[in-house]
Amino acid sequence: MSHFNDFNNAQVAKLPNHLKQFIVAQNYEKYTPIDQAVWRYVMRQNYSYLKNVAYYPYIKGLQRAGLSIEYIPDLQTMNDNLGKIGWGAVTVDGFIPPAAFMEYQAYRVLVIAADIRQINHIEYTPAPDIIHESAGHAPIIADTDYNNYLSYFGSIGAKAMFSANDFELYEAIRKLSILKEASDADDAQIAKAERELKFISENMGEPSEMALLGRLHWWTVEYGLIGTLENPKIYGAGLLSSIGESASCMQKEVKKLWYTIDTINYQYDITKTQPQLFVTPTFQNLIDVLESFADTMAFRRGGTESIMKAIACKNIATAVYSSGLQISGVFTDVGVDANDELTFIKTTGPSALALNGKQLKNHGKDYHADGFSSPVGRLKNSLKPLEDYNDNELKAAGIELNKQVLLVFESGISIDALTQKILKTDDKVILITFTNCTVSESNGNILFKPEWGNYDMAVGAKIVSVFNGAADKEAFEIIAPISIEKTHKVVYDDKTIKLHELYKQVRAVRETNMGFEKLSNIFGQLKTQYRQDWLCALELLELVFHKKIFHQLEKEILVYLEIKAGKEPEHTKLILDGLHVIKNPVSQLIGD
């Protein structure tokens, strides 16, 4: 990753390779003049409306995050500003896997989709875009309590177990969102992708930890309200970046409930407006609810149910023995006694052993290429767990280098072998390597034969934690499967390129305060050649209205837009909202 651009930002520089792989260049020059106008329109709408309903720091927060109303933000400027509050930002291609998204948050890096919504999805986009990510998430990052919640959520989310179904669901959502945003999408393809998504989401089974955390994330980070039930303020990015829903969500029809641990029982549908929203009295309450959910998760509970979650996940997970030894791999089997206690665990395929997140020398996935299996529990008639034995106690149990020993566990599993190596760390025995080894269950079933080579036995009375992913991700190099579905790139025809040119001219007049005589000619071209466009005409009206010039032209444009608003239902609200902001200028809100 020698070409990696860290934007001179400390948080971005710290990102590990398995997260860097998702980063794409922003390519600022690809944004067209229409894209810039879409950004400006949405931001002015947000300002005009949000000053009354957004949680206080929204407007100041925008400036602290390096965002302006006038331009799509440039990543370097954002990083320069976010760096001052201990955060960073990178651009990615659309949806990335939930676990990776969470881990970025834990590293205090905002993930921003590099693309911007098309003008025909200006109110709401099915795909993540730069308006949502930067105008929604970035402004509130300056609030310390909130940004602590966000990074803490990330560190817990990164450990969450997901199910094999979750991954299918993520791929189906990503595919559909890309199709919906593509300019050349075919309705039959979209309908097929919608059917696939519906089928997967209706057959999800028990929600996984990641699915439940996803709900908490949705009802807070994306759709959260703060304050009182009667008069809440918006802090969720999904609401802050949707001009449609930020207005409708305050109406009586949308129920307001207190945000508690029970919120995990509310599913959500990303394609519809929300029937209810949750209000938190403080950001600290968000951390408290998250904390009580984390107490139910496998990484804190361990035991049989947590290994079962790992088996259901069908992806790499890590189990931690009470000795501290960490086993990473795809878990496929487990032994359980009459009291539901674990007797052994087993992975299949490349596996690795680690301690405190660092891989043990010579115990990487090449050495354990065919999986790993070990007993869990105590030796029969022992006074303490094997991991706590001192040298004398090991000797008394017959565990001495180069001596044959017979070990029998409480579970009935027995090991008859020659002790070759004893690995201790911090006064804990964590791993014993045997040769000439036979491992069998009490019913005589053979688990390991001498001719299979050395047998590495993990030591630990219990499995105390199970979490998603490998313990040492850099060594394990699970460069996650990057989705093959890439966001479609747009190619513009000559007519559209000419329209871009008109938008560019309008911006130049506004920014230089010169060339007003061109406006009438631009309007002439819009009227005759670009009847479907409404935004450029609004920008023309804004200029002549505020300069109090060309009254005749002002009247013509206004009539043109009013007729358009009456005739084109899909543009009615957009045009009326645009007229409202022209008559109630934004500049007074931010005091330029």
Side-chain angles (χ1 to χ4, degrees):
M1 301 285 296
S2 53
H3 63 285
F4 177 66
N5 178 4
D6 65 14
F7 302 100
N8 216 359
N9 177 293
Q11 299 312 115
V12 176
K14 282 184 201 147
L15 289 171
N17 288 334
H18 67 276
L19 291 182
K20 285 180 187 169
Q21 61 169 333
F22 294 105
I23 298 173
V24 297
Q26 183 182 20
N27 294 333
Y28 195 87
E29 59 294 339
K30 76 171 180 225
Y31 300 122
T32 67
I34 294 184
D35 292 338
Q36 295 284 4
V38 164
W39 170 272
R40 185 171 181 270
Y41 174 89
V42 174
M43 292 307 281
R44 284 157 57 85
Q45 290 299 331
N46 278 353
Y47 258 135
S48 137
Y49 177 67
L50 291 171
K51 67 179 196 289
N52 303 318
V53 296
Y55 179 65
Y56 158 75
Y58 186 76
I59 287 175
K60 283 203 173 59
L62 273 180
Q63 292 158 338
R64 287 187 69 179
L67 300 175
S68 93
I69 299 192
E70 291 297 319
Y71 293 99
I72 294 173
D74 154 61
L75 222 60
Q76 186 61 61
T77 312
M78 282 190 78
N79 273 299
D80 294 344
N81 285 274
L82 288 170
K84 293 174 191 153
I85 48 177
W87 280 70
V90 295
T91 36
V92 300
D93 180 34
F95 281 111
I96 65 170
F101 182 82
M102 294 287 179
E103 224 183 321
Y104 271 107
Q105 250 173 244
Y107 277 93
R108 294 183 171 251
V109 174
L110 279 182
V111 180
I112 296 176
D115 289 317
I116 186 163
R117 63 195 64 179
Q118 294 176 35
I119 190 162
N120 54 343
H121 290 152
I122 194 163
E123 283 191 272
Y124 172 78
T125 163
D129 81 330
I130 194 159
I131 294 183
H132 170 80
E133 310 291 350
S134 48
H137 291 285
I140 198 164
I141 286 284
D143 185 293
T144 311
D145 288 341
Y146 181 75
N147 75 46
N148 284 338
Y149 170 65
L150 214 52
S151 63
Y152 188 50
F153 200 109
S155 60
I156 285 177
K159 296 188 171 84
M161 300 300 297
F162 56 91
S163 68
N165 293 350
D166 290 338
F167 209 82
E168 275 185 39
L169 184 71
Y170 152 72
E171 284 287 0
I173 289 172
R174 181 178 158 87
K175 186 172 169 188
L176 179 61
S177 75
I178 289 171
L179 284 172
K180 280 189 164 172
E181 268 297 296
S183 45
D184 53 358
D186 138 16
D187 289 345
Q189 271 181 311
I190 290 180
K192 181 170 182 271
E194 277 174 339
R195 281 197 304 277
E196 282 169 13
L197 176 58
K198 188 168 186 284
F199 180 77
I200 294 169
S201 60
E202 282 171 1
N203 293 282
M204 288 293 287
E206 267 302 287
S208 66
E209 291 178 355
M210 187 60 97
L212 294 173
L213 268 177
R215 293 178 190 176
L216 294 186
H217 199 264
W218 182 264
W219 297 123
T220 59
V221 175
E222 295 296 354
Y223 280 85
L225 301 174
I226 185 166
T228 62
L229 292 183
E230 299 67 44
N231 184 25
K233 299 278 187 225
I234 296 176
Y235 71 87
L239 290 173
L240 290 176
S241 60
S242 152
I243 13 182
E245 208 165 350
S246 58
S248 63
C249 79
M250 286 304 178
Q251 288 158 5
K252 289 271 183 289
E253 300 79 66
V254 181
K255 283 202 301 275
K256 312 295 185 295
L257 306 169
W258 285 116
Y259 179 71
T260 65
I261 189 67
D262 295 336
T263 305
I264 58 167
N265 299 319
Y266 289 81
Q267 296 184 35
Y268 60 88
D269 178 344
I270 66 166
T271 60
K272 298 188 172 71
T273 52
Q274 312 311 316
Q276 79 280 309
L277 293 172
F278 296 88
V279 183
T280 186
T282 59
F283 286 140
Q284 182 56 44
N285 177 56
L286 301 183
I287 292 182
D288 298 342
V289 168
L290 180 58
E291 195 53 44
S292 54
F293 180 69
D295 283 340
T296 70
M297 289 171 62
F299 84 96
R300 287 196 180 163
R301 293 187 62 136
T304 309
E305 60 168 339
S306 301
I307 293 284
M308 297 314 279
K309 285 180 182 177
I311 292 174
C313 163
K314 298 185 179 149
N315 276 278
I316 290 148
T318 297
V320 186
Y321 275 86
S322 43
S323 61
L325 183 69
Q326 298 167 312
I327 318 290
S328 300
V330 177
F331 286 85
T332 50
D333 197 8
V334 56
V336 179
D337 68 15
N339 304 322
D340 279 339
E341 297 290 337
L342 290 170
T343 59
F344 75 87
I345 58 173
K346 178 179 189 315
T347 65
T348 301
S351 304
L353 311 186
L355 188 72
N356 299 325
K358 282 277 160 262
Q359 188 168 297
L360 295 181
K361 198 167 176 252
N362 304 330
H363 286 287
K365 59 180 187 182
D366 297 335
Y367 181 69
H368 296 287
D370 304 323
F372 184 86
S373 145
S374 246
V376 180
R378 293 167 69 134
L379 293 176
K380 223 174 179 147
N381 306 325
S382 61
L383 297 172
K384 57 161 120 169
L386 178 56
E387 67 234 50
D388 294 332
Y389 279 28
N390 61 29
D391 292 345
N392 291 333
E393 289 163 330
L394 285 169
K395 202 169 173 178
I399 303 170
E400 285 187 85
L401 295 184
N402 304 320
K403 294 214 169 150
Q404 192 76 17
V405 66
L406 175 65
L407 299 179
V408 183
F409 284 82
E410 286 177 343
S411 61
I413 290 178
S414 68
I415 292 182
D416 186 353
L418 193 72
T419 306
Q420 195 191 28
K421 198 171 173 192
I422 300 169
L423 187 60
K424 287 184 86 162
T425 170
D426 300 331
D427 287 337
K428 292 272 186 196
V429 180
I430 60 171
L431 191 72
I432 302 177
T433 303
F434 297 106
T435 56
N436 190 23
C437 176
T438 305
V439 183
S440 47
E441 289 183 287
S442 52
N443 61 6
N445 183 25
I446 303 281
L447 299 175
F448 195 90
K449 297 180 178 165
E451 57 268 27
W452 294 355
N454 284 1
Y455 181 71
D456 294 295
M457 184 184 88
V459 178
K462 290 190 165 68
I463 295 296
V464 292
S465 174
V466 178
F467 57 84
N468 171 45
D472 183 343
K473 291 194 171 71
E474 294 297 278
F476 209 90
E477 284 177 330
I478 41 164
I479 297 298
I482 292 276
S483 187
I484 40 190
E485 282 287 337
K486 291 280 185 258
T487 302
H488 303 215
K489 294 291 169 249
V490 188
V491 181
Y492 301 101
D493 59 20
D494 291 345
K495 190 174 176 194
T496 309
I497 290 170
K498 282 201 186 106
L499 179 59
H500 289 170
E501 193 47 47
L502 296 181
Y503 271 88
K504 199 167 158 185
Q505 287 174 27
V506 174
R507 181 173 280 267
V509 171
R510 189 171 61 239
E511 288 177 358
T512 58
N513 232 346
M514 282 157 38
F516 289 96
E517 65 287 346
K518 295 182 187 152
L519 298 182
S520 172
N521 174 22
I522 293 174
F523 181 56
Q525 291 183 59
L526 285 175
K527 254 189 345 192
T528 53
Q529 293 161 47
Y530 300 100
R531 298 292 294 188
Q532 82 293 351
D533 187 86
W534 53 273
L535 182 51
C536 197
L538 266 175
E539 293 203 327
L540 288 174
L541 180 63
E542 180 195 333
L543 281 171
V544 293
F545 179 84
H546 289 305
K547 286 290 162 200
K548 305 194 170 32
I549 49 173
F550 306 138
H551 292 301
Q552 188 48 43
L553 178 61
E554 182 193 324
K555 270 192 217 138
E556 277 179 43
I557 302 176
L558 187 60
V559 168
Y560 176 76
L561 283 167
E562 282 172 344
I563 291 172
K564 223 172 174 25
K567 274 207 198 110
E568 302 169 12
E570 73 278 18
H571 295 145
T572 310
K573 183 177 184 310
L574 294 166
I575 292 170
L576 296 179
D577 287 350
L579 293 173
H580 174 80
V581 169
I582 291 173
K583 290 174 184 142
N584 304 276
V586 170
S587 57
Q588 292 151 17
L589 312 178
I590 41 175
D592 1 331

